[in-house]
Amino acid sequence: IMNFLPLAADEKVTSVLAVPKGAAREALSVFFVTEEGVVKKTEAKSFADVRRSGIIAISLKGKDRLVSAHLSQDGDSVSIVTSKGQSIRFDEADVRAMGRTAAGVRGMTVKKGDVVVSAEMVPASAKKASLLVIMNKGYGKKTDMEEYKIQGRGGSGIKTAEVTAKTGEIIGAKVLTGAEAEEEEIVVISKKGQVIRTSSKEIPSLSRATQGVRIMKMREGDSIANMVAL
């Protein structure tokens, strides 16, 4: 990545977005979410000309860090999940477009000791969607997005999983839409290099306030590092 963007020693890449060319680009925005629940929306065309040294995308306050950046458009909704098992869903339109250097607004109230670990867009075109959550001790589950009613931004949200000593905290979440909810494959990677690949249809759909099931058996001292959907 250093061939494209010179990063400071304490920086790392959070998201890589493919932005379509042409007129479609005009209707798109880049939606940012931070660990402390701050959200920001900036028109994608604001990033049309980026110099080699990079440009400011969001101003972060204190020790806050950017969690994710996604492309969004009118009609989409935003799903935010924290490590302690809280989740909020609100309309993308609740956040007005801002300039690149703006700091953003409150998207979710995050309690002390908790942090946002995932933010995903729920497309307006999706007729069916599920939220997949993965915990750091190898547990996970899917929950129908209909269980996450759209709220106003800024609240503390509702429980998305029962986080216990057995499950560990949530390390990530993914919105699966349409056929993807049953046909995508999930790759889960541990911090010590173990990998498991499973079909999303093998992960049960459960209600929000449940622990989920074991997706990957962890060796002693190991934990989940990340997961991706293929």
Side-chain angles (χ1 to χ4, degrees):
I1 196 67
M2 292 298 292
N3 290 327
F4 302 96
L5 183 65
L7 298 175
D10 59 345
E11 285 187 299
K12 67 176 183 177
V13 174
T14 295
S15 300
V16 178
L17 304 178
V19 182
K21 295 181 179 180
R25 188 179 190 174
E26 299 298 319
L28 293 175
S29 296
V30 182
F31 201 96
F32 302 92
V33 182
T34 76
E35 278 190 348
E36 295 179 3
V38 174
V39 299
K40 177 188 168 185
K41 182 171 69 175
T42 300
E43 292 180 342
K45 62 184 179 182
S46 298
F47 302 96
D49 299 310
V50 179
R51 53 182 176 269
R52 181 175 174 80
S53 60
I55 56 176
I56 294 174
I58 182 174
S59 295
L60 299 173
K61 295 181 179 179
K63 295 182 179 180
D64 200 7
R65 297 190 302 174
L66 187 65
V67 171
S68 70
H70 289 283
L71 293 176
S72 69
Q73 56 187 344
D74 289 346
D76 291 350
S77 59
V78 187
S79 173
I80 300 176
V81 176
T82 75
S83 64
K84 302 291 188 183
Q86 290 296 109
S87 175
I88 193 171
R89 182 184 179 191
F90 57 86
D91 284 325
E92 182 258 16
D94 282 358
V95 182
R96 64 177 178 82
M98 307 173 200
R100 289 190 297 101
T101 59
V105 296
R106 176 64 53 195
M108 182 179 189
T109 298
V110 181
K111 295 179 180 179
K112 187 176 181 180
D114 201 2
V115 292
V116 171
V117 293
S118 173
E120 291 270 310
M121 306 307 300
V122 185
S125 59
K127 295 181 180 179
K128 181 176 176 57
S130 296
L131 181 66
L132 169 68
V133 296
I134 301 290
M135 288 86 144
N136 69 12
K137 291 189 178 180
Y139 283 75
K141 64 169 182 167
K142 292 182 306 193
T143 301
D144 197 306
M145 284 303 302
E146 290 184 357
E147 292 200 31
Y148 301 90
K149 302 301 181 185
I150 292 179
Q151 308 174 39
R153 68 169 178 83
S156 58
I158 56 178
K159 183 177 286 190
T160 189
E162 183 68 29
V163 173
T164 66
K166 183 174 76 171
T167 65
E169 295 183 348
I170 294 174
I171 60 96
K174 170 73 176 175
V175 170
L176 306 177
T177 59
E180 294 178 350
E182 298 298 329
E183 296 177 6
E184 276 204 48
E185 290 193 323
I186 309 300
V187 176
V188 181
I189 307 158
S190 80
K191 290 182 177 180
K192 292 191 175 181
Q194 297 300 303
V195 178
I196 190 171
R197 182 172 177 173
T198 184
S199 170
S200 60
K201 67 182 179 181
E202 299 298 323
I203 301 173
S205 291
L206 303 171
S207 61
R208 290 187 295 102
T210 56
Q211 293 185 136
V213 299
R214 190 187 296 277
I215 294 175
M216 182 177 186
K217 188 173 182 179
M218 309 305 302
R219 296 177 180 176
E220 186 176 353
D222 202 0
S223 61
I224 301 298
N226 208 346
M227 65 104 174
V228 292
L230 303 178

